[in-house]
Amino acid sequence: MKKIVTILGARPQFVKAAVLSRVISKYKTIEEIIIHTGQHYDANMSAVFFEEMEIPKPKYNLDINGLSHGAMTGQMLQEIEEILIVEKPDVVIVYGDTNSTLAGALGAKKLNIKVVHVEAGLRSFNMKMPEEINRILTDRISDLLLCPTATAIENLDNEGFSALPSKVVKCGDIMKDAVEFYGKTSAEKSSIISKLNLKANEFVLATIHRQENTDDIENLKSIFEGLEAISKQKQVILPLHPRTKAILDKFNLKYNITIIDPIGYFDMLELLKNCNLVITDSGGLQKEAFFNKKHCIIAREETEWVELVSNGFAKIVGSDNKSMINAFGNFQNSTHNFDVELYGNEVGEKIYAEILNII
């Protein structure tokens, strides 16, 4: 039996990996070994996903977190390399753009193990973002680049990947599979709507965690002032990321919005299904909003998911609270057909077939 090692470390990666793990389990032709780097160490942002989504438990838990980018990536690289030497997989799979992604790709490549990058080709063109550096470097050393969109393919073409020995494939967005599969049962597995006494379409779901927002106190204040202003029209529910919480506590910043602890995937799906719209600086949540037919206000200066903006499903506002408030008002008076095909179907099956081919 062929063996793959999957590297995970952050919430979006757990969601995506759950889809592929389910396909792998169905066919029983590949053994999957999971390494959890520990990058997201909060139980509600990590362990709960393995339990809720029935992802195979990690064989290795590295518990590496709370360090600088360099220290974290370096320590992950060292420990992942030691595991790969023991496991001797045919392929290493990495997802997205985290430090765990880059460390896993580097560890595999230096041992001449094939690297598969799921969600390849995305670009924000903002080199100040650690995620942008991670995704560019990971793409360059990957053997199989699985792209979610035509734009991602175009980005790689512009960077000369057609002249490289790596294989580039447009397979669609694996997160779409997750939303469709788990969305069928999320209402049975979550009580968050009744627990918070929420009414459908009468609240806004928000998340803020990106470094460019949390590490710039003026940006953070402006974003939260915008959320507070919007909360006067509709209740704002914000599951608070540990990084954001630390900054708010440090500067003793308090706002009149409903802040809750980090939540599991099924709770998030139910909030997405029932909210009026989404305000976020998360890449994954932008798409999850679209999959649940919700408009999205993006609290960043750019997005990798440009098709959401070009089709009118999302609006980029950065940290400008006035732009945020205006976008909220405009979306209240607009309708869109969310049935347009942007991200493919049965993506997990396509990815599984490509992995079999490269093995």
Side-chain angles (χ1 to χ4, degrees):
M1 182 177 284
K2 297 294 185 178
K3 181 191 291 186
I4 64 173
V5 164
T6 297
I7 311 291
L8 303 176
R11 174 196 178 274
Q13 295 168 341
F14 307 144
V15 176
K16 297 163 194 169
V19 174
L20 187 56
S21 291
R22 196 171 65 252
V23 177
I24 290 170
S25 178
K26 179 172 76 172
Y27 290 111
K28 297 180 171 60
T29 57
I30 297 174
E31 178 188 5
E32 181 183 29
I33 303 294
I34 295 178
I35 299 175
H36 181 6
T37 64
Q39 186 168 338
H40 274 183
Y41 52 92
D42 186 288
N44 285 326
M45 304 186 74
S46 177
V48 68
F49 283 90
F50 289 94
E51 297 166 8
E52 288 185 341
M53 305 184 76
E54 299 177 357
I55 306 173
K57 292 293 189 290
K59 184 174 181 179
Y60 301 93
N61 285 282
L62 306 187
D63 196 28
I64 300 171
N65 52 68
L67 305 173
S68 68
H69 282 284
M72 185 183 297
T73 307
Q75 192 171 331
M76 287 176 182
L77 173 58
Q78 178 182 346
E79 297 195 28
I80 288 170
E81 182 182 62
E82 292 172 358
I83 293 169
L84 295 180
I85 290 171
V86 172
E87 293 290 349
K88 297 180 174 60
D90 299 280
V91 163
V92 167
I93 301 176
V94 295
Y95 291 84
D97 54 21
T98 66
N99 292 336
S100 303
T101 307
L102 179 58
L106 281 170
K109 201 64 178 179
K110 287 177 178 290
L111 294 172
N112 294 314
I113 300 169
K114 291 178 180 178
V115 177
V116 175
H117 186 198
V118 178
E119 207 173 79
L122 297 181
R123 297 291 183 267
S124 69
F125 303 101
N126 179 359
M127 290 301 291
K128 293 181 179 180
M129 289 176 59
E131 295 89 351
E132 184 77 350
I133 297 165
N134 290 340
R135 63 171 72 105
I136 288 173
L137 296 177
T138 299
D139 279 345
R140 182 58 185 83
I141 61 175
S142 292
D143 298 275
L144 175 60
L145 295 96
L146 298 170
C147 300
T149 63
T151 301
I153 297 282
E154 183 180 342
N155 289 337
L156 295 177
D157 285 343
N158 291 338
E159 293 175 15
F161 273 77
S162 58
L164 298 177
S166 52
K167 182 180 181 182
V168 177
V169 177
K170 179 188 172 187
C171 60
D173 191 331
I174 196 169
M175 194 172 279
K176 184 171 185 282
D177 284 18
V179 169
E180 291 174 348
F181 180 81
Y182 293 106
K184 296 174 184 176
T185 59
S186 60
E188 303 167 13
K189 299 182 178 181
S190 169
S191 60
I192 194 163
I193 300 300
S194 59
K195 181 180 177 181
L196 296 177
N197 195 28
L198 300 173
K199 294 181 180 179
N201 202 45
E202 291 301 318
F203 68 94
V204 170
L205 173 62
T207 71
I208 301 296
H209 79 282
R210 288 275 182 179
Q211 185 173 333
E212 60 263 37
N213 287 327
T214 60
D215 289 4
D216 186 318
I217 192 61
E218 295 306 316
N219 282 356
L220 195 64
K221 285 180 179 179
S222 180
I223 289 169
F224 271 83
E225 286 166 5
L227 294 175
E228 188 170 55
I230 289 169
S231 73
K232 295 174 183 177
Q233 299 179 61
K234 287 193 184 292
Q235 184 178 4
V236 174
I237 306 295
L238 189 145
L240 192 58
H241 190 284
R243 179 192 296 134
T244 313
K245 183 180 187 304
I247 301 297
L248 293 177
D249 289 347
K250 177 181 178 181
F251 290 94
N252 195 31
L253 299 175
K254 301 182 186 302
Y255 296 93
N256 188 30
I257 60 177
T258 305
I259 291 177
I260 61 175
D261 290 333
I263 54 176
Y265 186 58
F266 290 106
D267 283 343
M268 182 62 79
L269 278 179
E270 283 304 292
L271 290 178
L272 280 164
K273 282 186 194 177
N274 289 279
C275 72
N276 175 267
L277 58 71
V278 174
I279 302 174
T280 189
D281 60 6
S282 162
L285 202 58
Q286 294 172 39
K287 292 175 300 162
E288 288 175 309
F290 171 74
F291 298 147
N292 284 282
K293 304 182 186 303
K294 307 295 180 179
H295 290 111
C296 183
I297 298 172
I298 303 170
R300 288 173 54 191
E301 299 298 333
E302 68 286 308
T303 180
E304 299 78 20
W305 306 103
V306 294
E307 57 282 338
L308 294 177
V309 176
S310 62
N311 284 281
F313 301 114
K315 174 72 174 176
I316 295 174
V317 301
S319 59
D320 184 344
N321 55 56
K322 292 181 180 178
S323 295
M324 180 188 294
I325 295 165
N326 288 337
F328 172 78
N330 290 336
F331 279 138
Q332 297 306 300
N333 301 309
S334 66
T335 58
H336 282 96
N337 177 18
F338 282 87
D339 293 329
V340 61
E341 182 59 69
L342 295 179
Y343 295 108
N345 293 293
E346 297 185 348
V347 180
E349 293 280 351
K350 293 174 184 174
I351 288 176
Y352 178 79
E354 292 295 339
I355 291 170
L356 280 184
N357 286 337
I358 195 173
I359 289 177

